[in-house]
Every structure is written in C-alpha cells, then in structure tokens.
C-alpha cells in the first residue's frame, strides 16, 4: 500500500510550530498533505484519535555490536528495537570488532542496514586507528565511505594535541568530532564517586574525570572554531562549562542519555550491575542540572547510548561491563518528564528528533512539512506496558527498567512512507 491516511491525530511538529489535531496523507514515501478532513479512496487508513504523531526520532548514540559482537545485538535486532522505540535514524558507534576505522567496515554496515531496510543506520568512524588513541584514522576516506562523525566512544581521546588535530581535520572534511569525556586516569572504577561508592568500598568514577575533558574539548573548540559534540553529559559542573562556552559562541553541542534524567547513583543499591554505566549515574543535583539544561538549550538533544550486553557480562558489579539498553525505553522516560511538567511535548520532539537531525545535517528527518520524507512515529502517551521477554526486541536485556511499569507506547513507526513497526 503506497498511500497511508492518518486520521485525527495530534500532530506535534516543532519544525513548523504545529501542535494540533490533523489528518496526514502519505503518498510515495512523502508527506503529501496535512489538513482537517482529508479523504483518499485507496489509502490504508489509521484511525489515530487520542494518539500523537511527530517526526520519528534520531539517535546520535547507539551500539549495534555488528560486526563482531552479534551475541549482544546485530544490525537487524538493533534496527527492530529502534523502530519499536520510534527511531528511524541511528548513528552507530565504532567500537565494533573490527572497529569502524576503515572504509570497508563502514560500507559493510551501510550495505547490510540498507538490505534490512527498517530504518537508516549511519556509522560514526573511529577517531583513532584501532581506537587506541595514538594515531588518527583517515577522516577523508571514512567520510567518503559514509561516516557522519568521528569518535572513539567508550574510550576518551585524552591526547590534547591529537584532539586539536582531529577537530581541524573533521572541519576540513565537513564533519565533526564527538568525544566520550571521562579521563581514564581519573575514572578507574565502576560507579559515581560519592556516598554509595564509599559505603560499598568500591573504586569509582568522579565527576571531575568528566569535567576536565569537557572543559578541554570546549577550550579547543573555542580556539579552533571547530565543532565538538560532547557525548552523554552527566555532571552538573560539565553543564555549567558547556553553558559558559555556548554563551561565547563556541561550536559545541551535547547530548544527554534518558537514564541520567530519571535515575541517580541510588539505583546501584537496587539494580546493582544493571545500573552500571559510563559515565555513571550521578547525584540528584546532577540530574536536576541536566533537566534544567534541556530547557535553556545548553543540552541540544537526547541520545540513548543503547549498549547491549549478554547476561553473563552483567554479573558482579565490579566485573560487569558498563552500559544499558535504551532504544525502547527512551520515549516512556521522556514522557515521564512531560507528565511531571518539566518539559513540553513539543520540546521533547525537538530534543529527540529535530535537533539531532540538525546536528547531523540530515535532510529528510526531523520535520513533517508537506513534501518532506514520511519518517514519523505515532504513539499513545498514556498506554502502560512493561519491557519484558515478550516486548523486548533487543538481543540483550540489561536495563534497570526491565519489568518496571512504563507509560507511553509506540503504535506505528513509518520509515520513508512504509510502516516498519506496528503494535495495535
Ligand atoms: Zn560513551
């Protein structure tokens, strides 16, 4: 069916300042019309009264584990999980095996994702060869092969000279550098440095490890005029640092992960290794500072840092791998902030769709204007559900939100005019 007619949906599209009940007609992969009483004889009709439609989400930070760690996730399971969460564009991180430090690996991902066809997967290239932090990759060749940005995510790039060169080179090839800001000489442990790490007597990761690298990257971007994107901001001082540099016109953008907006270090006592993530869950005052920063634009967007791991990799806290899955829980988490009146629905869409699309410089997502590519999600903000064996589409289940009540469920995800996920 090439035509889809969505009836009486609450359309939220910040790109055209729209929040109103409308009909949407999709034809040949594009938004054909938005109106009040649209009629189309041959269309597949979706009665959407009480549901919300918005541009589908764009995630600047996912680990799809393919190639090399397919027992945790592969492109297909990751993409299925993504569309179930309302995402149709993913930037996948290069810490695969082999890493995305050659055009061949980037091309493998792009081709395989195109064959699967559920959504768009764009690779981020590694900053350094083998992600070893010693020698930059060939940005030109990787960009030509389809890499949209460069990062050694999972490992920070701590060598300032190399970072400076990377910012310059990325600018020359028309892209930007992303950094996982945690100085690994300071962040040697497992959870936030604070009363819980003292109580449990385990090695920790202080906020200062993040703050020094956020400051360093902002300073380099300030002096060079290049664009640096800070990945998963989590500390209140880092928020202040980014705010300071943004006020001075520095080309710095940053993302926050949904889990840092609703969970704090206390979660470790409840969920143990399932709450272990880098950067770690921090204090309540950090969480509040992050939410405040969403509102004043200091934080540009939401990114999930979807990081699947097998059950046996999530055993004892001190041995467990860091990270949690997040593609299917991002929307319910963000809707919780909407219900608590901390952000508006329109702001949520901006943070999950419009802004990340703009950061990547993507056409064809982040907007549902007439004529735009039909990439959208339809969800019920009130529907309650659980992430469990039945609903989870990832190969992994490492999240503290497993089996906890969630509110807000995707009913349809439409990618280039095709229904790629449906749950009604
Ligand atoms: Zn990271």
């Amino acid at each position: 069916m090439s035509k889809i007619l969505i009836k009486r949906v609450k359309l939220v599209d910040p790109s055209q300042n729209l929040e109103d009940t409308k009909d949407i007609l999709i034809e040949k992969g594009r938004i054909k019309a938005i109106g009040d009483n649209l009629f189309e004889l041959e269309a597949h009709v979706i009665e959407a009264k009480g549901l919300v439609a918005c541009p589908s989400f764009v995630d600047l930070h996912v680990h799809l584990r393919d190639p090399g760690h397919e027992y945790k996730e592969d492109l297909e399971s990751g993409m299925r999980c993504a569309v179930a969460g309302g995402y149709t564009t993913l930037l996948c991180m290069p810490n695969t095996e082999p890493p995305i430090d050659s055009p061949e690996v980037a091309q493998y991902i792009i081709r395989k994702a195109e064959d699967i066809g559920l959504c768009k997967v764009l690779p981020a290239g590694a900053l350094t060869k083998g992600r070893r932090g010693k020698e930059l990759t060939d940005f030109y060749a990787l960009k030509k092969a389809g890499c949209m940005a460069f990062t050694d995510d999972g490992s920070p790039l701590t060598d300032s000279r190399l970072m400076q060169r990377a910012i310059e080179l990325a600018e020359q090839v028309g892209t930007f550098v992303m950094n996982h800001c945690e100085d690994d000489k300071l962040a040697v442990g497992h959870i936030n440095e604070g009363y819980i790490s003292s109580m449990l007597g385990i090695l920790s990761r202080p906020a200062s490890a993040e703050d020094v690298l956020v400051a360093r990257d902002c300073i380099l971007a300030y002096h060079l005029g290049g664009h640096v994107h800070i990945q998963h901001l989590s500390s209140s001082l880092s928020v202040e640092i980014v705010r300071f540099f943004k006020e001075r016109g520095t080309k710095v953008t940053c993302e926050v992960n949904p889990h840092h907006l609703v969970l704090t270090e206390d979660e470790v006592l409840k969920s143990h290794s399932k709450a272990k993530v880098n950067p770690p869950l921090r204090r309540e005052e950090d969480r509040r500072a992050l939410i405040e920063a969403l509102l004043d634009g200091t934080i540009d967007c939401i990114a999930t840092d979807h990081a699947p791991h097998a059950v046996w990799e999530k055993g004892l806290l001190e041995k467990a791998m860091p990270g949690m899955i997040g593609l299917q829980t991002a929307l319910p988490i963000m809707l919780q902030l909407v219900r608590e009146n901390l952000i508006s629905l329109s702001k949520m869409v901006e943070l999950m769709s419009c802004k990340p699309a703009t950061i990547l410089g993507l056409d064809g997502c982040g907007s549902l204007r007439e004529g735009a590519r039909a990439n959208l999600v339809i969800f019920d903000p009130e529907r309650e559900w659980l992430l469990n064996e039945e609903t989870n589409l990832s190969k992994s289940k490492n999240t503290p939100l497993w089996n906890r009540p969630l509110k807000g469920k995707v009913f349809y995800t439409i990618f280039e005019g095709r229904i790629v996920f449906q749950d009604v």
Side-chain angles (χ1 to χ4, degrees):
M1 183 84 60
S2 68
K3 295 178 188 175
I4 302 170
L5 179 59
I6 305 160
K7 297 291 289 176
R8 311 291 299 154
V9 77
K10 179 173 170 183
L11 173 58
V12 180
D13 183 0
S15 81
Q16 39 185 338
N17 219 345
L18 198 65
E19 189 165 344
D20 204 357
T21 301
K22 292 283 174 198
D23 294 350
I24 306 170
L25 178 63
I26 296 166
E27 195 183 313
K28 292 186 186 140
R30 291 187 181 266
I31 306 293
K32 168 93 174 168
I34 292 171
D36 288 325
N37 279 303
L38 299 182
F39 179 75
E40 176 61 54
L41 206 54
E42 291 160 31
H44 169 68
V45 176
I46 297 175
E47 293 293 347
K49 199 161 171 252
L51 305 181
V52 174
C54 66
S56 48
F57 308 136
V58 176
D59 196 344
L60 296 187
H61 197 144
V62 294
H63 298 273
L64 298 179
R65 308 300 192 202
D66 188 351
H69 304 126
E70 290 90 346
Y71 63 94
K72 302 175 195 242
E73 197 80 288
D74 60 26
L75 278 161
E76 184 162 355
S77 63
M79 289 162 83
R80 283 197 190 288
C81 192
V83 294
Y87 286 89
T88 60
T89 306
L90 308 174
L91 184 71
C92 64
M93 294 297 112
N95 58 340
T96 47
E97 193 60 52
I100 313 177
D101 62 357
S102 70
E104 290 73 24
V105 181
Q107 278 292 310
Y108 157 82
I109 291 168
I110 292 170
R111 292 217 187 95
K112 187 169 171 189
E114 275 172 5
D115 282 347
I116 296 164
L118 286 169
C119 65
K120 202 167 199 81
V121 176
L122 303 164
L127 264 178
T128 63
K129 290 183 183 162
R131 299 177 57 258
R132 283 186 289 270
K134 300 279 182 231
E135 195 185 339
L136 294 182
T137 53
D138 184 343
F139 284 13
Y140 178 76
L142 286 168
K143 174 78 195 318
K144 214 172 142 206
C147 292
M148 300 295 287
F150 297 98
T151 173
D152 276 351
D153 181 51
S155 315
L157 182 59
T158 49
D159 181 329
S160 301
R161 171 85 192 98
L162 215 52
M163 188 59 166
Q164 176 168 305
R165 189 75 196 114
I167 297 169
E168 287 169 345
L169 273 175
E171 194 78 359
Q172 279 169 27
V173 301
T175 174
F176 58 97
V177 171
M178 308 170 97
N179 200 10
H180 175 132
C181 291
E182 270 191 302
D183 187 322
D184 49 8
K185 294 281 191 318
L186 293 172
V188 291
H190 312 282
I191 59 171
N192 185 45
E193 181 176 282
Y195 78 103
I196 292 180
S197 68
S198 317
M199 195 167 81
L200 299 177
I202 68 172
L203 287 172
S204 61
R205 310 177 76 82
S208 57
E210 177 174 331
D211 301 333
V212 288
L213 278 193
V214 168
R216 194 271 320 255
D217 287 353
C218 286
I219 290 166
L220 290 177
Y222 173 82
H223 284 292
L224 297 167
H227 176 188
V228 173
H229 179 85
I230 314 280
Q231 299 184 286
H232 39 48
L233 207 67
S234 73
S235 114
S236 61
L237 182 58
S238 285
V239 167
E240 295 284 356
I241 294 166
V242 171
R243 190 175 281 131
F244 175 92
F245 281 94
K246 279 198 163 188
E247 280 166 4
R248 282 152 187 81
T250 312
K251 258 203 264 174
V252 54
T253 52
C254 56
E255 67 188 37
V256 65
N257 304 147
H259 48 260
H260 287 122
L261 296 172
V262 290
L263 302 175
T264 61
E265 57 187 340
D266 297 14
E267 187 62 37
V268 173
L269 297 176
K270 258 191 265 171
S271 301
H272 314 284
S273 67
K274 278 190 172 178
K276 177 175 173 180
V277 64
N278 292 344
L281 299 173
R282 299 208 192 268
R283 302 162 307 168
E284 175 63 13
E285 55 216 274
D286 295 297
R287 187 183 80 85
R288 286 184 186 280
L290 293 170
I291 292 171
E292 218 172 279
L294 292 176
L295 290 171
D296 71 3
T298 301
I299 291 175
D300 296 271
C301 67
I302 304 296
T304 64
D305 194 4
H306 177 80
H309 289 298
V311 174
W312 52 268
E313 293 169 323
K314 276 292 194 181
L316 278 179
L317 184 62
E318 281 151 293
K319 296 254 167 71
M321 298 227 172
M324 45 182 91
I325 55 169
L327 282 164
Q328 284 180 263
T329 49
L331 175 66
I333 289 178
M334 295 310 292
L335 285 169
Q336 182 183 327
L337 301 184
V338 173
R339 275 196 305 279
E340 289 170 8
N341 279 324
L342 295 168
I343 59 168
S344 67
L345 198 53
S346 161
K347 182 74 187 176
M348 182 196 89
V349 176
E350 194 187 300
L351 291 163
M352 296 180 79
S353 182
C354 316
K355 286 297 278 292
T358 307
I359 291 172
L360 275 188
L362 295 176
D363 275 350
C365 49
S367 175
L368 295 178
R369 286 171 196 283
E370 285 181 358
R373 285 183 192 281
N375 293 323
L376 61 147
V377 53
I378 302 173
F379 63 87
D380 181 348
E382 303 299 326
R383 177 63 64 98
E384 291 179 17
W385 64 290
L386 299 173
L387 185 71
N388 56 24
E389 297 290 355
E390 220 173 286
T391 53
N392 178 45
L393 291 170
S394 171
K395 282 189 182 177
S396 298
K397 45 186 182 180
N398 51 306
T399 166
L401 302 180
W402 189 259
N403 257 324
R404 276 192 211 167
L406 300 168
K407 201 167 177 187
K409 179 87 185 68
V410 172
F411 279 12
Y412 294 92
T413 301
I414 298 176
F415 172 56
E416 314 259 299
R418 281 181 295 124
I419 297 173
V420 287
F421 175 78
Q422 183 171 346
D423 178 21
V424 276

